[in-house]
Structure formats: structure tokens, C-alpha cells
Amino acid sequence: MNKKVVVIGGGAAGMMAAISAAENGAAVTLLEPNERLGKKLNITGKGRCNVTNDTDTEGLMAHIPRNGKFLYSALSRFGARDTMSFFEELGVPLKVERGNRVFPVSDCAFDISGALKRRLQKLRVNLVRERALSVEAEDGCVRAVRGEKNSYAADAAILATGGVSYPGTGSTGDGYRMAAAWGHTIIEPRGSLVPLVSPDACCAQMQGLALKNVELTVFNRKNKAVFREFGEMLFTHFGVSGPLVLSASAHLRNWEKDSYRLSIDLKPALDEQKLEARILRDVAENPNRGLDKIIGGLVHRSMVSVVLDKLCLSAGQKANALTKEQRRALIALLKHFPVAVSGTRPVEEAIVTTGGVKVGEVQPATMESKLLHGLYFAGEVLDVDAYTGGFNLQIAWATGRQAGRSAAEN
């Protein structure tokens, strides 16, 4: 008789768990209240879907700052190459881009979610559009999952409900509530890969300005660099956002005990000597132009007044009146543009959630609860998260695979 497995949540981890359980002979029911599966998956990577990162297990682990050791078993059994083979066998050709990021050749996330849906259908997974309310148990074993409309008999239940980021995609925290009902500790969920709030008025002044090809460094209270990367970022009405900032935010994990500041190198291709030569040349060629025009040749027009203000310079000051000290101060500002940060935006605006079900209460080799036999976990509902670059989706695939197989076999 086939084991009955109920998977709660039709995101990346849930779909992989359902597929894996069905491939291992289980009769699978997948509960998902959204009108479509993979709603969050379809908006990842700006709609392109960064499927995984083409690296080995150690490379994956190096990009998981929280509870990576717990994931070692899952990632070594189903790594990045396994994920790539899995999707290519489902008919989705993939490509590897900068930083080993893996995307579908089509640059379309719907090709990934579509392939998963077709596989679910082929395996005859029973998809039910319903919100799960609770996991029911008897004699220390899972017996059913109760939904808003019906109850579903189960020998095993897999919680793959996600975190609390992007609530519009269905991440409502239901999984935490259901896990807590059986004694699981929930580590307070917070946002990771999230925009940062700044008290600096200059951010609002430059709202909408996207900086490209800059280097962002984040320093902690002890003046130690905790993040440094080259790329793009954005000024907003509340502070800063964009790919660089989202990546940086995953490294800023001690807001209660620490403080952070940003430093932007606006001219990373030029060292200070070459930058000074460039400024001297501009001044020599246009000695009677205003400083605003000279600075406008170095930064975006949205930054000109901010740079002048920070250096206490007048827009109308003639270029040839720029003193050596003022020139040096300008160079320092262009190479180390400061932005204070005071915290993160709400968790609802985060791409992923840090926090969730305490991993010490889950078997790493099977993803089964240590507190209730037949209860499994997969994906973001667990207290695990990673940096950007496909690592968080790889966690979803690997834990989903592990939970699905284990639920079907045990």
C-alpha cells in the first residue's frame, strides 16, 4: 500500500518535495491556496529565476552564513549539478553567468515553474487549492492534515510554507504556527536580502538614482569590512536598495549589538592618482567653468548638488579656484562616498526570511522532526538562509528533495 504524503505549500521546496515523494512511490497530495504554483519562484531573479549556483558542496556552504552545517547532508546528496541535471532532463536548457549564477536559457522563470508543474501532473500528484490549518497526529505520529474545507489522511506531512517575506505570494507564516503547535521552537523571522534604511537626507535627494559599476563596502562598528562587492545599487526615499545592497544586507546580522556604515567607490576603475590627474586635466581644459560642471563630468547630475554640499563648495565657484585641499577632499569623497544606515526595511519587503523552525529540532539526514514522527520540513520555513546568487533556491531544491524522499521511504 502506497504511503500517503501531504505536502503543505506549492513553492520551490514544496513542488520538489512532492515530486521526490511521488517518484519514490508515495501517493502525494499537494495543498496550495494560491491560484498558481510557484508564485514566488516566478518573480525570483527579476523574473529570470536564478535556479542555483554552479559550484560544489563546499562552495555552496561558503555562501550559507546561517546553519550551513545542518544543510551539509542535503546539499551533498543533491547539489548544484544535480539541480541542473534535474531541470535539463525536464526540458529546460540552462546557462551559467557571472558569479556562477545559473539561469534558464530563455531568461524566463515560468519555464522552471512550468517544468515542475508538468512533472507533478505526470506523477499524478493530487493538487488541491486549499489552505492547510493544522497537522493532526495520534500516538506521536502524523495521521492527517486539516484544511479549511477538508481533512487529508497522511502518513507523513511536509511543511514547505516558506517564511514571511513577500506575503503577497502566500508566505504568511502558517508553517511556523503549525510547527509550533507540535512543540517546535521558532527563531524570530527577520528579513535577509532586504533594502536598508538610512537617516542621510542625501538618499531622498538622489531618489531614483541607480549607480552602476560601483564598489560597495560595508564597515561595522569596529571599522572592519564585512562586505565588499562590485555592481549596481539604487538610492530611494528611505535609503538604499538594488542588487549590491540586497547582497550586503545578508551580512548585517547583528543590528542589536553592532552598527554599520556604507562606503561607495564611485570610480573603482581609477585609483586616487589617476582620478586626480583626470580632475586636473578637466580643470586645465575648462578653467573658467563652474565647479558644478566639472563635478557633473565625474558623477550623475543627481549627485552634483549632494557632492557640493558635502564638500561645502559653491556651484558657481570657478574650476581654477579649486584648492589642493578641496581637490583632495573631492577625490576622497568620490572614492569613499559615505552613507549611514540605521536598519533594514520590514521583513515583508525581504527576498528571503532569516529565522524559522529551529534546525536542532530537525534530523539533517531526513528533514524529519525530532518531536513528531512523520512531520518533515523543507525550504525557507527552516532557520536557514544564504547570500544571493542562486544559493537560497538550491537550499529549497535540496531540502525538498531530502524531505520528499524521506517521507516516502521512512
Side-chain angles (χ1 to χ4, degrees):
M1 184 175 165
N2 289 1
K3 232 181 140 181
K4 292 177 183 173
V5 175
V6 176
V7 180
I8 305 169
M15 285 192 282
M16 180 60 88
I19 287 168
S20 301
E23 285 177 344
N24 283 273
V28 182
T29 297
L30 175 58
L31 300 182
E32 170 55 59
N34 277 327
E35 73 282 359
R36 62 173 54 160
L37 296 171
K39 199 168 180 182
K40 185 175 177 183
L41 181 63
N42 289 333
I43 60 174
T44 59
K46 296 180 180 175
R48 297 175 63 215
C49 192
N50 187 177
V51 180
T52 186
N53 192 283
D54 187 13
T55 185
D56 58 16
T57 305
E58 280 65 37
L60 294 170
M61 296 283 286
H63 289 82
I64 302 170
R66 193 171 183 87
N67 297 322
K69 189 178 177 184
F70 168 79
L71 292 167
Y72 190 84
S73 173
L75 291 172
S76 55
R77 290 186 190 183
F78 195 77
R81 300 289 165 84
D82 299 305
T83 296
M84 293 168 74
S85 297
F86 174 83
F87 282 106
E88 288 183 327
E89 284 167 17
L90 292 185
V92 185
L94 303 173
K95 60 182 176 179
V96 181
E97 296 187 359
R98 180 179 60 85
N100 295 324
R101 289 169 163 86
V102 179
F103 294 90
V105 169
S106 64
D107 286 328
C108 181
F110 285 97
D111 286 357
I112 297 296
S113 59
L116 292 167
K117 289 173 199 171
R118 287 191 296 275
R119 184 64 179 150
L120 289 166
Q121 288 166 351
K122 191 168 184 181
L123 291 165
R124 297 185 177 174
V125 169
N126 178 30
L127 173 60
V128 181
R129 307 288 181 189
E130 184 169 355
R131 180 187 173 198
L133 297 179
S134 63
V135 175
E136 308 291 317
E138 196 177 290
D139 300 326
C141 297
V142 168
R143 292 287 179 248
V145 173
R146 187 166 59 85
E148 286 183 320
K149 301 170 190 170
N150 296 297
S151 186
Y152 303 87
D155 300 302
I158 302 173
L159 276 178
T161 51
V164 288
S165 56
Y166 284 160
T169 63
S171 301
T172 58
D174 278 357
Y176 302 149
R177 180 180 50 75
M178 285 185 265
W182 290 105
H184 278 281
T185 305
I186 307 301
I187 307 301
E188 183 187 357
R190 293 187 299 179
S192 183
L193 309 183
V194 63
L196 299 176
V197 176
S198 172
D200 283 0
C202 70
C203 292
Q205 274 181 266
M206 297 184 287
Q207 178 181 346
L209 171 62
L211 297 178
K212 296 185 178 181
N213 304 320
V214 297
E215 185 180 67
L216 176 66
T217 305
V218 184
F219 294 95
N220 65 11
R221 182 180 289 164
K222 294 180 179 177
N223 225 30
K224 179 187 175 186
V226 295
F227 174 86
R228 180 176 283 119
E229 201 168 295
F230 180 85
E232 301 177 18
M233 60 178 290
L234 174 73
F235 288 104
T236 72
H237 66 285
F238 58 75
V240 285
S241 188
L244 273 181
V245 172
L246 297 180
S247 293
S249 72
H251 297 252
L252 315 184
R253 293 175 174 266
N254 294 304
W255 290 99
E256 296 86 358
K257 300 176 183 175
D258 212 343
S259 58
Y260 304 97
R261 62 182 177 85
L262 312 185
S263 176
I264 308 166
D265 186 347
L266 298 165
K267 297 291 177 185
L270 301 175
D271 61 24
E272 294 196 3
Q273 228 175 349
K274 287 178 181 173
L275 186 53
E276 184 168 32
R278 158 87 183 269
I279 293 169
L280 286 169
R281 188 183 71 237
D282 290 350
V283 170
E285 290 174 357
N286 304 281
N288 294 312
R289 293 190 85 180
L291 274 183
D292 59 334
K293 300 295 190 294
I294 298 297
I295 291 171
L298 295 164
V299 299
H300 189 276
R301 63 180 180 276
S302 301
M303 289 195 87
V304 174
S305 62
V306 171
V307 170
L308 288 168
D309 288 346
K310 284 187 177 291
L311 297 174
C312 300
L313 295 173
S314 164
Q317 180 182 328
K318 293 280 173 50
N320 59 7
L322 188 70
T323 67
K324 183 179 180 181
E325 289 73 23
Q326 290 172 334
R327 188 174 70 245
R328 292 282 165 85
L330 173 59
I331 292 165
L333 185 63
L334 294 174
K335 295 295 287 181
H336 311 281
F337 189 90
V339 178
V341 286
S342 54
T344 64
R345 290 290 283 175
V347 65
E348 292 82 10
E349 295 181 28
I351 292 176
V352 299
T353 306
T354 179
V357 175
K358 187 177 182 180
V359 298
E361 298 166 355
V362 180
Q363 300 281 1
T366 60
M367 296 294 139
E368 186 177 19
S369 166
K370 293 179 180 179
L371 309 182
L372 177 62
H373 182 62
L375 178 62
Y376 297 80
F377 301 95
E380 206 179 336
V381 72
L382 290 160
D383 181 24
V384 290
D385 65 281
Y387 302 141
T388 55
F391 302 102
N392 285 290
L393 267 182
Q394 180 56 40
I395 291 173
W397 308 132
T399 56
R401 194 75 167 172
Q402 192 97 315
R405 280 181 170 174
S406 302
E409 292 169 358
N410 287 355

